[in-house]
């Protein structure tokens, strides 16, 4: 069976260990050197970066996440052994693992590392579709001649290089489409290398639960479960037409996925659909001033992201979560797309005011959607708010100062609340 | 209850009722019209709890009585009956059904008890006056395009009707704005309107008023209080709550120092704007106006789809300037100018422009420019 040493990248056959370096770490599969769609997923990415930057943490359980009331964003593998999982409420994680070192996320640092990883991927192929900071699809079809090596070899080299140069490890899933590549990368984490070939696709999916499908969350599972669909085998019993009738376009997709078919291309330019930021409070709050302060800071962050991307949006969304985890979302649509923090904040505040009676809240968020390039934005004005133009000018000037002297060079008093 | 009524008379009465009832309401009785027959006439009453219309029509009443039935259903039926038909309507207390028959067609409709129907409380009105329908129609029709749809600024979701002092005396004035454009329409002050409190007339009420005000010869009785207003003809009475809010001080929005004067044919201008805006794929289509001596060049530049330019002969004698506007706003304002040339008073490319019909100050419009 075609095999690849994941330490010295020697290609060999049959032998249990690498004939060149005697390493037992080998990837083996009949189609190993023929497959070219890959999914790379970093292992406990944020935690790995923290451990890299602070070697004292190496053997300690590390949890990345916000305050006591927040959720676990990433748990290192030491913490995972104790049962900590991402998206778990922090208090629960700390009950399982009281000695955990909890670190607030340093998004800027992670984003920098992510950029370096992306640059390494760029050396393999331009067909990269990032899903988040720490995972991406890659299509290496037709690159074998260019690199003088099949995709599997290049991918093994990529994760090895990430480990040596950046100090973070990743797992590779290699298959013939995105759906299977994504599932494969999760099969033997950390530092995994899993392959699902064409010939063994049907065998692989047999008996597997449908929740493996990326995008089928709790609600989707429930809907499928009501139709008696728990596993891929259940899906196979359905007609394409019946699935479509019941689940719409998702039904058609499910029919294909059940057969291991997924023809979505790896698309590097998946357009951004929305920009949003939210914050969970340490304690539920009904304090209008405090909420207002958060609203301003969130608007500033969303605005900064929009400015960095050169986009603006026609729809501003306010998100609130009540104590009983009930979500409230309110939207406002504008003819003139919004990019400035000042305008976004004022619109979001107008949405917030009528909802204050529903306080206390545990979460507040601001989002921007229906996006357009920013040369079409902030072109009008408000007859009833003649000072808006001045405030817009002040914001642009503050942005210029921050660009030159750093993000804390100038701030509004409002943001200190 | 039993009566016969001409199809045309019934249709008119029922169509006003069905447009008032809320289509998506969750209270079943609000979808119904209350029919009350007595003496020689029948009253049709419909409400959405904010607006109430009562339409009085003559009919041959055999047996007095009252009931309620789906306004939309009754309207659909009457609409489909042949013109000139005599419609006979009777309520059967035993079955709780309303029978509608005309010629060979018979319909039996479900009813709800008349006592469940909410009748709007009568109000004490602070001012009562009357005005010809065309005068009131002009006030609302020329201002309603500028009403805001933004719910967060609910106090802009209507037309602000109030009294004001204009250059040549007291006027009855309607103002609407959405922050992008503003319309201010004046009419001579009717006798008795002087004590009228300023009220914000909701958008839906403005829309419902159209039918009430369509007859040129009609004199409309208007009553206004702080919370309600009423428009009435002998047949039709529309009572509406007003928006509970403070209309912003619009006077500071109206530019007084704009000295550059552009005069042109409004219809020709609107058509030219429409033509050049075709190439723009954006939702808010920006049109650039470049002004030079007696010449206006309209242009749109859309990087993705193309560019367009059109030259218009205009009257302009000030220094050359360029200014951009949302094409839709320009067209809507130009559409209000129908008797004389449009006169646009400008200051700079960042300042609001003032538009009026010739030198008539009884209808003025303000529009915010757009960076192009």
């Amino acid at each position: 069976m075609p095999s690849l040493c994941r330490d010295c990248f020697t290609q060999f056959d049959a032998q249990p260990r690498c004939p060149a370096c005697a390493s037992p770490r080998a990837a083996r599969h009949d189609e190993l050197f023929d497959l070219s769609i890959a999914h790379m997923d970093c292992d406990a990415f944020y935690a790995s970066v923290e451990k890299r930057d602070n070697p004292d943490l190496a053997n300690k359980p590390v949890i990345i996440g916000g305050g006591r009331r927040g959720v676990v964003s990433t748990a290192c593998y030491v913490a995972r052994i104790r049962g900590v999982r991402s998206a778990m409420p922090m208090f629960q994680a700390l009950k399982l693992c009281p000695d955990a070192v909890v670190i607030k996320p340093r998004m800027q640092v992670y984003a920098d590392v992510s950029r370096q990883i992306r640059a390494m991927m760029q050396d393999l192929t331009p067909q990269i579709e990032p899903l988040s900071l720490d995972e991406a699809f890659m299509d290496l079809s037709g690159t074998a001649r260019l690199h003088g090596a099949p995709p599997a070899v290049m991918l093994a080299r990529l994760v090895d290089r990430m480990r040596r140069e950046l100090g973070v490890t990743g797992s590779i899933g290699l298959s013939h489409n995105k759906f299977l590549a994504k599932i494969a990368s999760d099969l033997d984490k950390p530092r995994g290398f899993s392959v699902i070939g064409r010939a063994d696709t049907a065998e692989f999916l047999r008996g597997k639960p449908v929740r493996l499908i990326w995008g089928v969350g709790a609600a989707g599972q429930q809907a499928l479960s009501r139709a008696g669909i728990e596993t891929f085998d259940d899906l196979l019993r359905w007609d394409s037409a019946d699935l479509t009738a019941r689940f719409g376009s998702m039904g058609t997709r499910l029919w294909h996925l059940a057969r291991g078919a997924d023809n979505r291309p790896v698309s590097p330019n998946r357009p951004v659909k929305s920009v949003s930021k939210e914050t969970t409070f340490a304690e539920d709050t009904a304090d209008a001033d405090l909420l207002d302060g958060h609203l301003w800071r969130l608007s500033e962050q969303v605005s900064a992201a929009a400015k960095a991307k050169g986009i603006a949006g026609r729809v501003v969304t306010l998100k609130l979560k009540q104590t009983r985890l009930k979500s409230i979302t309110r939207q406002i649509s504008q003819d003139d797309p919004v990019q400035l923090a000042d305008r976004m904040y004022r619109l979001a505040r107008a949405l917030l005011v009528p909802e204050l009676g529903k306080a206390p809240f545990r979460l507040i968020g601001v989002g921007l959607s229906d996006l357009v390039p920013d040369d079409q934005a902030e072109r009008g004005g408000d007859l009833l708010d003649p000072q808006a133009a001045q405030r817009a000018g002040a914001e642009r000037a503050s942005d210029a100062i921050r660009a030159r002297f750093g993000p804390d060079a100038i701030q509004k008093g409002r943001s200190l609340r | 209850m039993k009566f016969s009524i001409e199809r045309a008379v019934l249709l008119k009465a029922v169509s006003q009722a069905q447009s008032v009832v809320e289509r998506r309401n969750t209270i079943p009785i609000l979808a119904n019209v209350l029919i009350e027959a007595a003496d020689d006439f029948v009253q049709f009453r419909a409400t959405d709890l904010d607006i109430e219309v009562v339409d009085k029509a003559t009919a041959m009443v055999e047996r007095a009585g009252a009931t309620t039935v789906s306004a939309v259903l009754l309207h659909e039926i009457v609409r489909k009956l042949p013109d000139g038909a005599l419609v006979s309507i009777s309520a059967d207390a035993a079955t709780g059904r309303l029978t509608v028959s005309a010629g060979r067609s018979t319909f039996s409709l479900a009813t709800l008890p008349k006592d469940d129907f909410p009748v709007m409380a009568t109000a004490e009105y602070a001012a009562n006056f009357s005005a010809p329908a065309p005068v009131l129609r002009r006030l609302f029709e020329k201002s309603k395009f500028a009403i805001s749809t933004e719910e967060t600024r609910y106090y802009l979701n209507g037309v602000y009707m109030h009294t004001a002092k204009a250059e040549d005396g007291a006027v009855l004035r309607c103002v609407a704005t959405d922050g992008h454009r503003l319309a201010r329409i004046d009419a001579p002050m009717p006798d008795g309107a002087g004590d009228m409190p300023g009220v914000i007339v909701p958008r839906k009420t403005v829309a419902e008023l159209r039918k009430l005000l369509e007859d040129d010869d009609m004199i409309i009785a208007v009553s206004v209080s702080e919370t309600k207003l009423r428009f009435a003809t002998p047949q039709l009475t529309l009572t509406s709550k007003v928006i509970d809010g403070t209309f912003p001080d619009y006077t500071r929005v109206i530019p007084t120092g704009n000295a550059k004067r552009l005069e042109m044919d409004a219809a020709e201008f609107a058509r030219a704007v429409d033509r050049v805006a075709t190439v723009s794929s954006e939702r808010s289509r920006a049109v650039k106006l470049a002004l030079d001596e007696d010449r206006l060049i309209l242009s749109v530049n859309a990087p993705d789809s193309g560019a367009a330019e059109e030259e218009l002969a205009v009257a302009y004698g000030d220094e050359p300037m360029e200014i951009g506007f949302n094409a839709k706003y320009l067209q809507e304002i130009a559409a209000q100018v129908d008797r004389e040339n449009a006169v646009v008073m400008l200051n700079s490319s960042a300042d609001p422009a003032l538009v009026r019909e010739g030198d008539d100050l009884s209808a003025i419009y303000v529009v915010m420019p757009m960076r192009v």
Side-chain angles (χ1 to χ4, degrees), chain B residues 17 22 104-105 137 160 214 233 265 299 302 304 314 363:
Chain B
E22 192 68 63
R104 295 183 187 176
S105 323
R137 190 168 69 213
Y160 180 45
E214 72 189 356
T233 68
D265 182 281
S299 62
D304 295 340
V314 297

Side-chain angles (χ1 to χ4, degrees), chain A residues 126-162:
Chain A
Q127 296 300 108
I128 304 168
E129 180 181 330
L131 294 182
S132 63
L133 286 182
D134 61 346
E135 57 175 319
F137 287 112
M138 284 170 279
D139 183 351
L140 284 88
S141 305
T143 62
R145 183 172 297 182
L146 173 71
H147 295 307
V153 175
M154 299 311 295
L155 290 163
R157 284 191 176 147
L158 168 71
V159 281
D160 186 60
R161 189 177 164 202
M162 279 163 51

